[in-house]
């Protein structure tokens, strides 16, 4: 299923697909370039989804979405706007791609914590040698008293 089909379901991950019926579209006039058509064509696109109600989400995934997308949700609805292209169709494709990416990133598991490592003996020795060389250089600058 291609992501850029503006009327079909929205695949987010291989296991999660947002049904087309859950996608809410709004169109308005876009600012920016477009010549005479900029005042007449509704090329700006807003795509809205009630992300917490998408079928197929586990409770854990819903909690993760609510936590990560919390500030962007208005009454449980995530809205993405696209107005970078002159054509409405291309803006619809851009909004769909951005919506899939946003939901996918919010669902991604957190990165594993960083494992602390010690510097190698060689890197410690190189650091000390460089400090000694720098100190010697500064000592030679002493000049005449």
């Amino acid at each position: 299923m291609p992501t850029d089909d503006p009327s079909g379901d929205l695949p987010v991950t291989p296991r999660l697909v947002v049904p087309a019926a859950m996608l809410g579209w709004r169109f308005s006039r876009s600012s920016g370039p477009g010549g005479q058509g900029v005042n007449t064509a509704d090329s700006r696109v807003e795509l809205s989804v009630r992300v917490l109600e998408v079928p197929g989400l586990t409770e854990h995934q819903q909690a993760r979405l609510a936590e990560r997308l919390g500030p962007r949700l208005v009454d449980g609805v995530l809205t993405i706007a696209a107005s970078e292209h002159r054509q409405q169709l291309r803006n619809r494709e851009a909004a769909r791609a951005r919506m899939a990416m946003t939901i996918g990133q919010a669902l991604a598991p957190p990165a594993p914590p960083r494992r602390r490592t010690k510097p190698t003996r060689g890197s410690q020795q190189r650091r000390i040698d460089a400090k000694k060389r720098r100190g010697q250089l500064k000592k030679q600058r002493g000049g005449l008293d």
Side-chain angles (χ1 to χ4, degrees):
M1 231 179 267
T3 333
D4 55 357
D5 175 20
S7 59
D9 294 343
L10 178 65
V12 177
T13 65
R15 292 184 177 168
L16 181 65
V17 176
V18 178
M22 291 192 74
L23 302 176
W25 295 95
R26 271 187 42 194
F27 307 101
S28 59
R29 292 192 181 124
S30 178
S31 63
Q36 294 173 340
V38 77
N39 297 323
T40 57
D42 289 341
S43 60
R44 182 175 187 271
V45 173
E46 286 185 16
L47 175 58
S48 301
V49 175
R50 291 190 166 280
V51 288
L52 301 179
E53 298 174 10
V54 172
L57 287 177
T58 65
E59 289 181 23
H60 181 69
Q61 288 175 324
Q62 287 176 341
R64 185 177 285 162
L65 281 174
E67 176 191 339
R68 292 192 178 164
L69 296 176
R72 296 185 64 178
L73 297 180
V74 178
D75 296 329
V77 177
L78 175 65
T79 302
I80 300 285
S83 61
E84 59 264 20
H85 303 289
R86 290 185 180 189
Q87 297 95 8
Q88 185 189 92
L89 182 63
R90 289 184 63 193
N91 281 330
R92 289 177 72 170
E93 293 167 355
R96 286 175 58 89
R98 212 174 305 148
M99 179 67 78
M101 183 186 68
T102 302
I103 296 173
Q105 286 177 345
L107 283 174
R114 180 183 173 274
R115 288 176 34 189
R116 298 187 63 175
T117 58
K118 294 170 100 175
T120 63
R121 185 178 299 149
S123 69
Q124 287 177 338
Q125 189 62 47
R126 285 189 297 273
R127 181 178 149 267
I128 298 298
D129 292 344
K131 286 171 73 77
K132 286 180 180 173
R133 278 194 306 273
R134 187 73 181 155
Q136 287 292 76
L137 179 70
K138 289 183 175 186
K139 191 181 282 188
Q140 289 174 359
R141 287 189 200 147
L144 303 171
D145 286 337

